[in-house]
Amino acid sequence: MPTAIPHRLLPNPRAAGRDAPYGADQRAVLNENAFAEAQGEIARWPGYAPTPLVGLPGLARDLGLDAIWYKDESGRFGLGSFKALGGAYAVFRLLAREIAARTGETVGAADLVAGRHRDLVAGLTVTCATDGNHGRSVAWGARTFGCRCVIYIHETVSEGRRQAIADFGAEVVRTPGNYDDSVRRAADDAARNGWFVVSDTSYPGYVDVPRDVMQGYAVMADEALAQLPAGTLPTHIFVQAGVGGLAAAICGHFWERLGADRPRFVVVEPEKAACLYASAEAGRPTVFPGALDTIMAGLACGEVSLIAWQVLDTGADAFMTIPDDAAIAAMRELAAGAPPVVAGESGVGGLAGLMAAMGDADSRRRLGLDAGSRVLLFGSEGDTDPTLYAELVGRPAAAVRPVA
C-alpha cells in the first residue's frame, strides 16, 4: 500500500462542470491563436526538440494505478527546466513589440539571433524577480536576443542558482525578504530606470507579458498530448504551482483542446506557500502570509498571478498542499525508479501530491483515483541546483541518470 503522507485536499467548490465550455474569460488569457503563434516561433529556435514523456509503469503498479506519465523538462534548451518556454519567449515578444513600435518592422527570433537591429536591442534592459528558473530563462533569452538583463533574487535563493543566472551574462541583485518582496523591488527599479519587466506573475495593470509567458508554457502541454499513446488520454493531471502560471497554462490548454474529455485537474502547493489553496478557500485571490520558507524554492510564492487565477478559479478540480518531506520522497522515488529520472525539488510537486492522495482512502475517493486511473505529471525541472539535489537524494544527478 502507498505510504500515508500528511496533506490537505480541497475539492474546488467553483469547479466548472465537465460540459462547461472554455469561455471568454479563459480565452482572454490563453487561446488557440496565441498558442499557434508561440508554438510556431519556439519550434524554430536553435536546439528545440520536444522533451520526453516517460512512462512509469513500476510506480503506477506500486501506487495502484493503471498508468503514470511524466513529462521530463530537465533537458529543455539546456536550461534544466520548462521555464525557457515562457521567460525567453516573453523576452522575444517584448523586443519584437519594441522594434515594431520604433521602426514599423516585424521581426522573428531568427532576425534577432542574426543581429538584426542589434544597436536598438542592445539599448534595452529586461528585468524580473525569480526563485531561480524563471530568471535563468529570462537571462538566457536576453543573451540569445542581444539585450541587457538585470535579475533580482531574494535572500534565501541558493548561491548555485545565483551563479547559474550570472553565467548567462545577467547582472544579479540579491534583495532582503521573500520572493514577493523581490517582485516589488524589480518593478520599482524598472519604473525608475526605464527597464522592461518580464515577470511570470501578473498584477493590476500588468498582464501582457505574463500572458506571453503562460502561452509559451502551453507548448509543453501540447507536446505531452501528442506523445500520449494513441487513443489514450489521462484521467487526471497533478501539477505543482507557485503563482499559478504553469498550472493555468496546462489547465487551459487541456480544457480548450479536450472540453468535456479533459482530465481532472489537481493543483499542488507547498504547505508553507499555498496562495492558490488559500485563494480557493476564500473564493478570491488571497495573499498567503509568512516567510514562505519551503525547500521547493521555485514554488515559494505568496501572491497569486491574477490571470492564472482567471483560469484556475473554475478550471481546477481540486487544490492540495504537501510538506517538504513529500517532495524529497518523490525525488528519491524517481531517482530509484525504472527508468531513473532526475527531478528537482520544485519539479516533483505533482508527483508528491499524487503519492499523498494515493496513501489516503478519503483523498482517493474524493479525487476519483482507482486502478483504472491514468495520471499525467509535469516534471518542471531537473537538478537546477546540483549541490542541493545531491544532498536531498543522497547522490549526484550523474550517478542517477542512465548511461547512454
Side-chain angles (χ1 to χ4, degrees):
M1 288 294 293
T3 303
I5 298 172
H7 65 282
R8 291 190 300 161
L9 175 65
L10 176 66
N12 185 5
R14 291 174 306 285
R18 306 322 293 171
D19 292 329
Y22 190 72
D25 285 348
Q26 291 77 38
R27 283 197 175 87
V29 179
L30 299 160
N31 60 76
E32 285 283 359
N33 290 337
F35 165 72
E37 186 175 351
Q39 183 186 49
E41 183 59 54
I42 291 170
R44 292 193 295 269
W45 291 4
Y48 169 76
T51 53
L53 185 69
V54 181
L56 302 176
L59 182 56
R61 182 180 61 251
D62 292 346
L63 292 179
L65 299 165
D66 181 54
I68 298 175
W69 298 290
Y70 182 92
K71 181 69 165 162
D72 182 5
E73 288 293 299
S74 63
R76 182 72 73 178
F77 286 114
L79 295 185
S81 87
F82 76 106
K83 288 285 189 176
L85 294 171
Y89 176 63
V91 169
F92 159 71
R93 290 270 295 169
L94 188 152
L95 296 176
R97 282 194 294 269
E98 282 300 303
I99 290 169
R102 299 183 190 199
T103 71
E105 187 175 345
T106 300
V107 297
D111 296 317
L112 301 187
V113 171
R116 197 169 177 183
H117 298 292
R118 179 183 290 111
D119 291 344
L120 191 163
V121 172
L124 303 177
T125 299
V126 295
T127 187
C128 73
T130 187
D131 287 308
N133 290 338
H134 178 68
R136 191 184 303 195
S137 173
V138 170
W140 177 71
R143 189 182 72 172
T144 300
F145 303 126
C147 65
R148 180 171 175 262
C149 183
V150 180
I151 302 294
Y152 291 80
I153 59 173
H154 56 89
E155 58 191 29
T156 63
V157 173
S158 71
E159 175 58 23
R161 288 195 168 92
R162 186 206 68 79
Q163 187 59 52
I165 296 167
D167 286 345
F168 287 111
E171 177 185 344
V172 183
V173 179
R174 192 180 288 275
T175 67
N178 61 27
Y179 169 75
D180 299 309
D181 295 320
S182 64
V183 168
R184 286 184 280 271
R185 170 71 184 278
D188 289 345
D189 285 2
R192 185 172 60 255
N193 293 312
W195 300 342
F196 296 90
V197 176
V198 182
S199 177
D200 58 354
T201 191
S202 62
Y203 40 85
Y206 183 77
V207 297
D208 290 344
V209 171
R211 185 185 293 118
D212 287 339
V213 170
M214 290 166 59
Q215 199 66 78
Y217 294 164
V219 170
M220 173 180 55
D222 198 70
E223 288 177 0
L225 263 174
Q227 292 167 320
L228 289 164
T232 303
L233 290 174
T235 60
H236 297 73
I237 293 176
F238 283 68
V239 65
Q240 55 278 3
V243 298
L246 166 64
I250 296 170
C251 178
H253 195 74
F254 275 78
W255 188 357
E256 186 171 23
R257 280 288 173 91
L258 301 180
D261 293 328
R262 68 190 184 278
R264 292 194 188 190
F265 197 85
V266 184
V267 177
V268 184
E269 297 173 280
E271 63 183 7
K272 297 179 181 179
C275 58
L276 288 160
Y277 191 103
S279 298
E281 283 187 311
R284 64 185 185 280
T286 300
V287 176
F288 189 88
L292 312 176
D293 57 342
T294 171
I295 198 170
M296 292 170 266
L299 311 180
C301 308
E303 298 184 29
V304 175
S305 170
L306 296 183
I307 59 173
W309 184 248
Q310 202 166 316
V311 174
L312 295 173
D313 180 32
T314 57
D317 293 287
F319 297 84
M320 288 185 71
T321 69
I322 55 169
D324 283 357
D325 286 350
I328 298 171
M331 293 172 68
R332 293 173 177 171
E333 181 72 41
L334 287 171
V341 177
V342 172
E345 65 282 1
S346 296
V348 297
L351 173 58
L354 173 63
M355 292 168 62
M358 293 306 296
D360 180 80
D362 186 57
S363 293
R364 292 197 303 272
R365 177 186 61 79
R366 295 165 86 186
L367 294 174
L369 288 162
D370 56 32
S373 298
R374 302 177 299 275
V375 182
L376 176 59
L377 306 169
F378 288 83
S380 53
E381 68 167 5
D383 58 324
T384 53
D385 186 333
T387 300
L388 181 59
Y389 179 86
E391 176 185 329
L392 295 178
V393 174
R395 51 193 170 129
V400 173
R401 289 189 178 97
V403 177

